[in-house]
Amino acid sequence: MPPESAPPVPPAPAPAGQRIGLGRLVLTWLLVVAASAVALRLADALPRAALNLPRGVTRAADVAELERASGRRMPMPAYFPDTIAWPPADARLHTSGSAAIWCRQREGRDTALIVATAPRGARGVADQVLPASVELQREQAVRGNRALAVSRVRDADGAVWQQVQWQSAAQIVLVRYRGTLDELLKIAGSVND
Amino acid sequence: MIAAAGQAILHATVAALVIEALVRLWRVEDPGERLALRALAIGAPIVLTTAYLAAAPWRSAPWFTDRWALFAGANWNHVHVSGVGFATAAGLALSAAGTALYLRDAVPFLADRFVRAVPDDGLPEGHPAWARVARALASVPDAVGPRPSTVTVLDLEAPVLLCTGVDRTAIVVSTGTIARLDDEALRAALAHEVAHLAARDPLTGWWLMAARTLQFFNPVVQIVARQAIQDIERRADLAVAARGQGAPLAEAVHRLSSVADVHSDLALPSERGHLGDRLLASAHRRAVDARCQLLLENHRPQVQPHRAGRLLLTGAAVAVLLFLVV
């Protein structure tokens, strides 16, 4: 045992070979911060990936909740083909304000009709609330007092959809239908916007 | 309220994991520095989470969570568990676990101080037990720390050995402790308590308990606070081991930790009770064995340079990451 009057033992500095210099200190810090950021991003994406929801999109339980969340009325077509099931299978809202309802075919599980809106002044309906698609063709048309953008799009499964989009007094309205253009124009024409 | 509690738990988790990674990668062995870093993890949900919620409530707005946030807890509410959002369910379950962990430690801590199940009056100074403690205390090297203001020797079979007080310091020891330790072990055990007083650890203990009380629902804070207590113990152990008394202190730790109903920071619960208790006790036993092993090896932690820089970088990392976690 050392003499009792011995001075306090100083902390042992790390040997030169095991000392962590300033450069390595900062590099390690950067790596940990970057790894933490990546891990957090991945953890954030997990539930969206599991539910197939893009970033910024939330689901609403029904049309009423969608209207409350978006702050806008959802335009409903008065003409609704018998082949389309009601209520909608999905109601989605994007942080940009875009909202959409997805309706399935009465027979089968495929989505066949989408009605979407975006706030007036927006560039258009956010892609995140619509199924992934590629535009094949686009034309301008006038029907009644509406200036329409009529287009054909192909979805990820290769199916071709007809789509019309116009600007009402309150919002941008988009209707996408997996069927004939005539049927789509009948649906769109019956929308009270 | 549940959302704020959930965010505090989330923030504590992120802070604790980042700090633990940095402690390991930077090879921080000095218990004083470990304690300072863990204080960041404990303080972050109290200071930063509160500040962010008050000063930047827009962090929960969709434009922020969508574009800037690294992690938004609310996204996990899209996944439902029995009709309840996963984030909400996890927040409730973790809050219950945190409260249980808090009560498990807070009740004995407060009972030791306010409703102590031991006599208030100590033995008179002329008593042989008191004289033995006084001799042992007098032989503790001055370098370990100043002597306590008072020493109380309790006539009690259960082992008691603890220090209290910040300005008016005191060491409380029972005849049950004295009977179980030889002179060398008693001297080392008292030196350990003197080292606690020199480092003002009773005050640190109150700070820790205050932080744990504010975050009683936060299981991560409760766990990190336990790690901080281990750091405090390790620091006091080192002060004693540095005087060459590591082996007798290990003997004292070993003897007191094997006794039931012990009131001392030198001891941990003995194995008894339900399976859960036995599992915890088993973990505690391993912790005691590891502590004794370190004392016997007289392992001195290596101190890395740039301590202030490490604290600054860690604080910055925690502040930035937590701002982006909502």
Side-chain angles (χ1 to χ4, degrees), chain B residues 127-139:
Chain B
H127 193 279
W130 201 98
R132 194 179 157 210
V133 170
R135 274 199 309 276
L137 200 54
S139 65

Side-chain angles (χ1 to χ4, degrees), chain A residues 37 39 53 100 142 178:
Chain A
L53 274 180
V142 176
R178 192 172 174 177

Side-chain angles (χ1 to χ4, degrees), chain B residues 1-7 9 77 81-100 216-219:
Chain B
M1 188 57 116
I2 292 173
Q7 192 163 136
I9 294 172
N77 268 337
V81 180
S82 303
V84 182
F86 182 84
T88 304
L92 288 171
L94 289 171
S95 295
T99 305
F216 68 91
F217 56 88
N218 195 327

Side-chain angles (χ1 to χ4, degrees), chain B residues 250-295:
Chain B
E251 175 73 14
V253 168
H254 177 72
R255 281 181 177 274
L256 294 183
S257 65
S258 61
V259 183
D261 198 26
V262 61
H263 294 260
S264 174
D265 54 301
L266 284 183
L268 292 164
S270 58
E271 292 185 39
R272 60 199 172 106
H274 298 293
L275 175 64
D277 291 340
R278 283 203 299 275
L279 288 173
L280 287 172
S282 173
H284 287 165
R285 172 53 55 195
R286 285 197 297 277
V288 168
D289 290 345
R291 181 179 177 183
C292 291
Q293 192 63 35
L294 283 171
L295 283 166

Side-chain angles (χ1 to χ4, degrees), chain B residues 216-230:
Chain B
F216 68 91
F217 56 88
N218 195 327
V220 181
V221 165
Q222 306 303 325
I223 290 167
V224 176
R226 282 181 169 218
Q227 289 180 309
I229 290 167
Q230 286 180 341

